[in-house]
Amino acid sequence: MRLERRSQIPPSMLLAAPVAAMVVALALSGGLIALAGVNPLSAYGEMLRGAFGSRLSISETLTRATPLMLTGLAAAVAFRARLWNIGAEGQLYAGALAAAWIGHHYAPALPPALAIPLIMASAMVAGALLLLGPVILRLRLGVDEVVTTLLLNFIVLLFVSMMIEGPMKDPLAFGWPQSVPVERDVMLPKLMERTRLHIGLAIAVVAALLIALLQARTVFGMATRAAGLNARAAAFAGVPLATTLLAVACLSGAMAGLAGAIEVTGLKGYVTLDLSPGYGYSGIVVAMLAGLNPLGVVLTSLFVAIVFVGADGMSRALGVPSFIADVIVSISLLTMLVALLFTSYRVRR
Amino acid sequence: MTEAFEIFFTASLWGAVLRIATPLIFGTLGALICERAGVLNLGIEGIMTMGAMVAWMTVYQGGDLWTGLLVAALCGGLFGLLHAILTVPLALSQHVTGLGITLFASSLTYYVYRLSLPVSSTPPTIEPFQPLSIPGLSDLPFVGEALFSQTAPTYLAIAAILLVAYGMARTPLGLAVRMTGENPHAVEAQGLDPIRIRIGAVVCGSALMALGGAFLTTATFNSFFPTMVQGRGWVCIALVVFASWRPGKALLGALLFALFDAYQLRLQHVVEGGIPYQLFLMVPYVLSIAALIAMSRRAKVPQALMAPYRKGER
């Protein structure tokens, strides 16, 4: 038995791959749910109810999808150019910290129409700067960016902890480690009354559309794809590899930083150490499930959000630990990798 | 200032160095074996987390401490097999697959842990490995406490790294593993199967990684809690680069690294004047990045690392 590359990939398979991957992942996780003494089908039913059962749960699912969409874009943009940015978690926190800083110290002096874009921009710069370091190390010294971005996540989290217990500590928080709050006026407007859903969702969808346009219709998009498919051939054809990778890094880091700013100004209003339950890492799964397609990211971030919000509800109703959500999401990453393999290869005897 | 210097003359510092180094030695050795055969195993963080939980759970359910380590190694090998099947015969991206293994292994670990035990504010504990007392040596002043008051798995880790160093350099099997990481086509030409060698190396390496995690719950601490591995796996990946893929240097690197870590822990209590403790905690991660930068030009990367091997394809 051996694998043989397909000469052309049928488009139907490209669509079928993520669906098959999700179904297989749900089937495998079903075994683990059964281990908890719960019928997997009724568990998945409860999950759907938890994610869609009411107006409130739908709004929660969409709220949860928002940061995932942005970290998913961060990973999709970078991975397309074979830039392995695993640091979206750290970049998200860097963006959140920048947003809280600007939102607290400078926003009161500005009208909200000016302050909100300033907050978003500063968070994007913070995220981008954080990724530029590892990328420059890779370009200059050949240091693997996977390990450096991973290690930076831990450093940033400790830095956040230092800031919110030190210079940015909220004196009115009764000793809880949380940052100073952003100005009330710069909190993002709600999309639905009496829910937590805010216009961050619209911002994320627009970002996905813009990136899709950028990748499909510009020279930069072409250069990104070329760099990812075959760096040597791209360099031979005159693609400026270093500048392309630096630009990709800025875009990717900016998306993750934006996710942080949107979480701060959309939901809590301040930074804590549990701002992100691993959105940076889940973003990688979102991007892979979407086959690194920015528009696909919009859909797959919804899938991951449904799993997370649904699992919370299911856990409350049936007592299955909500960690099952992380299991489903991580298995679907592995099944998606295998599914993608079979779209471009076929098995021959 | 003198106080900060005097720390180096306390036996407890040197005792702590070996204790802190042990999980790093296991993890670095495991990652090194995988990479020498040409496979990057980023599943390490998850495999260590899983090893920590499985070993602890085995002992908590009434098993022997050594049985706990054995079960952890077996489970580590199993996840290694999954990583190997996906990256070697199926030739998937080693970066993404490794991360997938880490996410899968750690989430499965938390799920199984939560499923087996009810939520409680204080995690349940086990009776961990006790320091071995070696007649004669352990009673020596200073040296006894610094070097000969360790738990049994620490000595096992040092023995393992010496054994692998010898095996890699001097045995036919070691040569075959190294050659698979440098030039799998040459291995094929010698009538050996590079695919099998890679799978074997990843399984063995992953078992060692799991032992590193298991040490945390059966010797360093006596309970399991999520996020307890704290990036040690990623540190090990950096240490392999620092060691230029050589077991002897890996031992040195792990010890050096543990020395810094043990020292900063003690320095925290000595230094006054409001330096945030988080800065001290950053030291291991900053050091890892510094090590990667320092070795970037000199590192002798296995030539076929991360290059998938397909029979008959060049």
Side-chain angles (χ1 to χ4, degrees):
Chain A
M1 250 182 30
R2 64 198 180 87
L3 295 171
E4 184 185 85
R5 193 181 274 277
R6 288 180 203 273
S7 48
Q8 56 189 20
I9 302 168
S12 59
M13 285 199 82
L14 277 180
L15 283 175
V19 176
M22 290 173 200
V23 169
V24 173
L26 287 174
L28 289 174
S29 314
L32 290 167
I33 294 174
L35 212 64
V38 172
N39 179 356
L41 285 180
S42 60
Y44 287 137
E46 277 297 330
M47 274 177 79
L48 282 179
R49 240 167 50 123
F52 296 115
S54 65
R55 180 171 170 274
L56 188 71
S57 52
I58 293 172
S59 77
E60 270 306 301
T61 304
L62 291 172
T63 311
R64 193 77 70 98
T66 305
L68 288 169
M69 215 174 281
L70 288 165
T71 53
L73 286 174
V77 165
F79 285 16
R80 173 133 292 182
R82 293 210 175 222
L83 179 74
W84 305 108
N85 172 19
I86 320 295
E89 186 78 1
Q91 290 141 23
L92 183 150
Y93 273 103
L97 216 53
W101 182 267
I102 302 284
H104 182 75
H105 292 285
Y106 298 96
L110 296 168
L114 213 61
I116 293 178
L118 180 69
I119 288 172
M120 299 298 160
S122 60
M124 289 165 82
V125 170
L129 283 179
L130 191 62
L131 182 54
L132 275 183
V135 175
I136 290 172
L137 281 180
R138 166 176 156 185
L139 291 172
R140 277 293 162 93
L141 300 168
V143 178
D144 188 4
E145 74 275 19
V146 172
V147 189
T148 44
T149 49
L150 273 168
L151 290 165
L152 270 176
N153 287 344
F154 291 88
I155 295 176
V156 171
L157 217 61
L158 284 165
F159 182 73
V160 171
S161 157
M162 188 175 100
M163 292 306 277
I164 65 181
E165 287 181 21
M168 287 178 70
K169 187 179 167 67
D170 185 358
L172 304 176
F174 303 107
W176 289 105
Q178 69 183 47
S179 79
V180 287
V182 297
E183 181 67 19
R184 207 157 252 296
D185 295 348
V186 301
M187 291 296 284
L188 296 178
K190 294 271 181 265
L191 272 185
M192 276 164 83
E193 283 297 311
R194 287 176 293 112
T195 67
R196 303 201 306 157
L197 187 63
H198 51 83
I199 60 159
L201 179 67
I203 298 178
V205 173
V206 170
L209 288 171
L210 285 178
I211 288 176
L213 210 63
L214 196 69
Q215 285 188 341
R217 291 271 179 271
T218 65
V219 177
F220 167 69
M222 175 77 188
T224 316
R225 263 181 299 149
L229 287 172
N230 188 338
R232 278 178 66 188
F236 222 68
V239 172
L241 274 187
T243 21
T244 305
L245 279 187
L246 287 174
V248 167
C250 287
L251 189 58
S252 168
M255 284 303 115
L258 185 60
I262 282 182
E263 283 299 281
V264 168
T265 54
L267 291 176
K268 279 188 169 169
Y270 51 84
V271 183
T272 54
L273 278 178
D274 58 359
L275 182 76
S276 156
Y279 288 140
Y281 302 105
S282 310
I284 296 169
V285 187
V286 168
M288 290 310 295
L289 282 177
L292 307 186
N293 181 326
L295 296 178
V297 163
V298 176
L299 294 178
T300 53
S301 65
L302 277 175
F303 167 73
V304 173
I306 290 167
V307 171
F308 275 111
V309 176
D312 281 344
M314 189 265 287
S315 179
R316 278 192 299 272
L318 300 173
V320 179
S322 59
F323 282 121
I324 194 69
D326 299 273
V327 178
I328 296 173
V329 167
S330 56
I331 295 183
S332 44
L333 172 60
L334 294 174
T335 52
M336 181 63 189
L337 286 173
V338 177
L340 276 178
L341 178 80
F342 288 115
T343 56
S344 45
Y345 285 86
R346 73 176 109 208
V347 182
R348 272 289 168 87
R349 289 184 189 283
Chain B
M1 198 60 227
T2 49
E3 270 184 32
F5 194 63
E6 275 164 12
I7 297 174
F8 285 109
F9 299 101
T10 56
S12 80
L13 172 81
W14 298 98
V17 167
L18 277 174
R19 198 172 56 243
I20 294 174
T22 306
L24 298 177
I25 293 175
F26 277 125
T28 310
L29 190 60
L32 186 142
I33 294 175
C34 299
E35 290 184 33
R36 261 340 249 289
V39 182
L40 177 71
N41 189 350
L42 291 182
I44 181 167
E45 182 84 5
I47 291 173
M48 285 179 85
T49 310
M50 195 264 330
M53 195 281 286
V54 167
W56 181 88
M57 190 60 84
T58 308
V59 180
Y60 184 72
Q61 304 291 353
D64 188 26
L65 281 164
W66 289 104
T67 319
L69 292 191
L70 187 71
V71 175
L74 285 176
C75 292
L78 221 57
F79 275 91
L81 186 63
L82 179 61
H83 182 66
I85 289 173
L86 292 176
T87 54
V88 182
L90 295 182
L92 294 174
S93 154
Q94 296 182 6
H95 277 135
V96 185
T97 310
L99 285 168
I101 298 280
T102 280
L103 293 177
F104 177 43
S106 38
S107 57
L108 186 64
T109 300
Y110 303 150
Y111 178 74
V112 170
Y113 180 76
R114 194 43 73 234
L115 202 61
S116 319
L117 296 171
V119 182
S120 72
S121 52
T122 50
T125 57
I126 57 166
E127 191 62 41
F129 278 105
Q130 298 301 318
L132 284 184
S133 75
I134 304 167
L137 292 174
S138 299
D139 304 328
L140 292 174
F142 195 85
V143 182
E145 192 189 337
L147 299 181
F148 299 109
S149 60
Q150 300 295 330
T151 55
T154 299
Y155 300 114
L156 179 71
I158 293 171
I161 211 161
L162 295 177
L163 194 73
V164 171
Y166 175 82
M168 277 285 185
R170 296 259 183 270
T171 64
L173 179 65
L175 179 65
V177 170
R178 281 186 289 140
M179 196 157 68
T180 312
E182 299 290 342
N183 187 345
H185 299 283
V187 177
E188 180 86 52
Q190 290 290 319
L192 296 168
D193 186 351
I195 304 265
R196 275 196 199 167
I197 292 173
R198 281 191 171 168
I199 294 177
V202 175
V203 169
C204 294
S206 305
L208 283 169
M209 292 169 186
L211 283 182
F215 183 84
L216 291 174
T217 46
T218 56
T220 314
F221 307 103
N222 55 6
S223 56
F224 174 83
F225 46 93
T227 73
M228 74 182 305
V229 176
Q230 280 292 344
R232 280 184 182 85
W234 313 131
V235 169
C236 290
I237 297 284
L239 276 175
V240 175
V241 180
F242 178 72
S244 290
W245 288 268
R246 301 178 79 98
K249 285 188 183 171
L251 177 61
L252 268 180
L255 289 174
L256 194 68
F257 195 87
L259 174 63
F260 274 109
D261 209 16
Y263 184 70
Q264 64 88 6
L265 279 173
R266 280 157 183 77
L267 200 62
Q268 280 185 44
H269 300 292
V270 174
V271 176
E272 300 288 330
I275 298 182
Y277 67 93
Q278 290 95 343
L279 284 181
F280 291 102
L281 294 180
M282 281 181 201
V283 167
Y285 311 113
V286 175
L287 271 179
S288 305
I289 294 181
L292 285 173
I293 296 171
M295 295 309 293
S296 58
R297 286 279 183 230
R298 267 168 289 172
K300 281 191 165 170
V301 190
Q303 288 299 302
L305 181 60
M306 288 191 272
Y309 174 78
R310 286 196 191 89
K311 199 172 174 175
E313 251 180 53
R314 291 196 57 90

